[in-house]
């Protein structure tokens, strides 16, 4: 791309130079016949010169053509005579001659009563052509280059330093409304407040309302983060300034920072408005994460962003929305209060949501009566909004190719297969067996949480893949904010973490790799209990050097300086293993006792993909009132406090 642009550039430069040369030679070409100096002298001596303008190197003169045919060579006479006449008299002609070093000239001109003047050599036209025009052209090209070359490497970006105007996409009206965004209602609801504020910043200010400066929209690619941000702008009726994080990061140190400044300056002018930074992770990666040396440019850009976010006054109605699918690698400084302190999660849609999204995109498409979008939704677990939009589009194209008048179910099926094939390559679709495993795994977590008095209540279970690592999740809402945790509470949490793995063991007699994160967290927790909180009888009330917490940053851990003996180290390891082993036993018992409920919950999950609190309550209630299933004691019995 860059190479092509450069060739184009040189082509243009050549064209412009050519035009200039032609123009110069045309306009500056003497309109008069050039004659030898000797002939000029002859004419002067003969009294034929009327007026003369003595320039630095030439003399322009007006001569009387009459009677000069004897004085001049024939060819020259005819050339002069053929020149267009001056207005003053029919016999007058203009000639020009090259000036020769001639001290007598002035006196001779005087003697011949010629009106003469000094150099007025360059007329305004020639000045214009020779100087002003080329400069104007060069400046035009400069501007053009700046605009063209902003993004690409090479010449363009060198010239465009600090001028981000070209890459900030400004939409005065996005035209997207909340109605165009389907299936992510929770995220929409959370952004409703931002819309209210942008509509009427004055009102919020008067009431002393505090408005977030930055909202981070977190979600997998194609889940509609950009769409959502545009919808906020559309609903509020404010301009939408967008730029991608990766565009900030340039080769040249300082460019990105200048762009950030420029972006914010533009936003201030257009307030109220929305700044949308896509791929925030590209520029907001934690500092130091790249290892030795780091990336100076990115760091400068990030620092500039932080400075600008702190510096500007959100009360004027500028709100920064940013999108990322990797919040965990963001620099913690970006997430501090006053920056991106609000997070809105955008999940892949569930069955209902998928149907709603399909409906939105099917609006402009003629559907045959046999089409049931609910069926399409059921067949597309794990699809994001963009994938669903793609399906409708593919189906419409397919139908058109076949010459149909409406999109039929067969077209949609075909499109699903196609999109699935594409997604499978990118590893984003679970096969049914995997899905079942995840359903049991999450049901295990949920049931253990519900069986432990000190564990947080389950608010939602989902087997919709989220992000790269998590295939499903069980969400627990703490009943209250906790600062101190008792040993019994920590043990209950440990149990919940192991619930997923144990459920897999019970159901399949085998385990999967899906519990890796659970096990890491369980081990971490056990290690903390023993080395930090003094919760081990064998080791006593002692703390040991903290394992360096890399909780948020994926910074490779530094080698630890160990300050305890090998013997103690072995003891610590033993104690950790014991805690985990005991927890494993407790959880195995709990889940075996509730095997029937586990099966029922997993089946419900497979069907609905998401089970919320009311659905879970209903299921648990049914299980309690019908404990008939083999060996399932009443739920109350399973609540035995952990050892
Ligand atoms: P992201 O920014 O999360 O990668 P986009 O917002 O760019 O995703 O989504 C790409 C396209 O997919 C949108 O333009 C829209 O057509 C479609 N899309 C995604 N999510 C939704 C949704 N929830 N409702 C309707 N359309 C959606
Ligand atoms: Zn798990």
């Amino acid at each position: 791309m860059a190479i092509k642009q450069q060739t184009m550039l040189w082509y243009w430069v050549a064209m412009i130079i050519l035009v200039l040369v032609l123009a110069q030679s045309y306009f500056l070409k003497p309109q008069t016949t050039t004659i030898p100096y000797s002939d000029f002298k002859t004419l002067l001596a003969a009294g034929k010169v009327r007026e003369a303008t003595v320039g630095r190197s030439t003399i322009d003169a007006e001569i009387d053509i009459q009677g000069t045919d004897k004085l001049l060579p024939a060819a020259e006479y005819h050339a002069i005579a053929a020149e267009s006449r001056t207005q003053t008299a029919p016999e007058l002609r203009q000639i020009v001659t090259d000036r020769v070093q001639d001290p007598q000239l002035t006196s001779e001109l005087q003697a011949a009563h010629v009106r003469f003047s000094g150099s007025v050599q360059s007329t305004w036209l020639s000045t214009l052509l020779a100087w002003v025009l080329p400069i104007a052209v060069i400046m035009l090209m400069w501007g053009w280059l700046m605009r063209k070359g902003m993004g690409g490497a090479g010449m363009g970006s060198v010239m465009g330093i600090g001028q981000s105007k070209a890459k900030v996409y400004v939409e005065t009206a996005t035209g997207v409304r909340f109605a165009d965004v389907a299936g992510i209602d929770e995220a929409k609801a959370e952004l409703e407040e931002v819309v209210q504020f942008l509509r009427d910043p004055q009102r919020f200010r008067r009431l002393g309302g505090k408005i977030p400066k930055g909202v981070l929209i977190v979600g997998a690619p194609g889940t509609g983060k950009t769409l959502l941000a545009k919808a906020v702008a559309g609903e509020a009726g404010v301009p939408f300034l967008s730029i991608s994080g990766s565009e900030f990061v340039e080769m040249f140190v300082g460019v990105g920072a200048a762009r950030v400044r420029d972006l914010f300056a533009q936003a201030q002018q257009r307030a109220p408005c929305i700044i949308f930074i896509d791929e925030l992770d590209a520029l907001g990666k934690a500092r130091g994460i790249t290892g030795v040396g780091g990336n100076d440019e990115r760091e400068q850009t990030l620092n500039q962003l932080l400075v600008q976010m702190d510096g500007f006054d959100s009360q004027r109605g500028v709100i920064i929305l940013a999108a990322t699918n990797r919040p965990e690698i963001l620099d913690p400084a970006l997430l501090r209060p006053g920056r991106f302190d609000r997070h809105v999660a955008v999940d892949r849609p569930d069955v209902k949501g998928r149907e709603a999204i399909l409906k939105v995109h099917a609006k402009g498409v003629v559907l045959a009566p046999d089409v049931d979008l609910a069926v399409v939704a059921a067949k597309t677990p794990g699809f994001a909004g963009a994938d669903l939009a793609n399906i409708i589009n593919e189906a419409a194209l397919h139908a058109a190719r076949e010459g149909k008048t409406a999109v039929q179910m067969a077209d949609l099926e075909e499109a699903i297969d196609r999109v699935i094939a594409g997604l499978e390559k990118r590893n984003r679709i679970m096969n049914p067996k995997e899905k079942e495993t995840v359903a049991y795994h999450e049901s295990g977590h949920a049931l253990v949480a519900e069986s432990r008095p000190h564990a947080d209540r389950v608010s939602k279970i989902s087997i919709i893949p989220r992000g790269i690592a998590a295939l499903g999740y069980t969400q627990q809402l703490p009943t209250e904010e906790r600062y101190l945790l008792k040993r019994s509470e920590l043990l209950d949490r440990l149990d919940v973490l192991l619930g997923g793995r144990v459920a897999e063991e019970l159901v399949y007699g085998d385990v999967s790799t899906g519990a890796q994160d659970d096990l890491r967290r369980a081990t971490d927790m056990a290690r903390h209990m023993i080395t930090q909180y003094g919760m081990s009888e064998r080791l006593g009330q002692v703390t040991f050097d903290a394992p360096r917490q890399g909780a948020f940053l994926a910074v490779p851990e530094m080698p630890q300086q160990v300050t305890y003996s090998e013997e103690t180290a072995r003891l610590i390891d033993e104690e950790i293993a014991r805690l985990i082993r005991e927890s494993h036993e407790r959880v195995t018992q709990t889940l075996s006792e509730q095997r029937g409920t586990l099966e029922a919950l997993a089946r419900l999950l497979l069907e609905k993909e998401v089970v919320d609190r009311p659905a879970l309550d209903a299921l648990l209630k049914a299980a309690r009132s019908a404990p008939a299933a083999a060996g399932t004691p009443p739920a109350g019995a399973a609540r035995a406090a952990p050892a």
Side-chain angles (χ1 to χ4, degrees), residues 441-442 445 500 514 518:
H441 179 104
E442 297 305 329
H445 283 306
D518 296 339

Side-chain angles (χ1 to χ4, degrees), residues 268-322:
Q268 294 281 26
Q269 279 168 20
R270 291 169 193 268
C273 70
I274 280 183
I275 297 179
F276 178 64
I277 305 177
D278 204 356
E279 301 176 70
L280 182 66
D281 42 286
L283 102 123
K285 238 177 264 171
R287 283 165 287 193
I289 214 168
T290 35
V292 192
N295 179 339
D296 263 359
E297 161 62 357
R298 214 199 43 237
E299 246 167 62
Q300 276 199 15
T301 310
L302 174 57
N303 285 337
Q304 185 62 42
L305 178 66
L306 296 175
V307 167
Q308 291 289 338
M309 283 192 82
D310 290 344
F312 89 98
D313 176 14
S314 65
Q315 299 305 320
R316 284 192 55 190
V318 178
I319 289 191
I320 310 159
L321 302 181

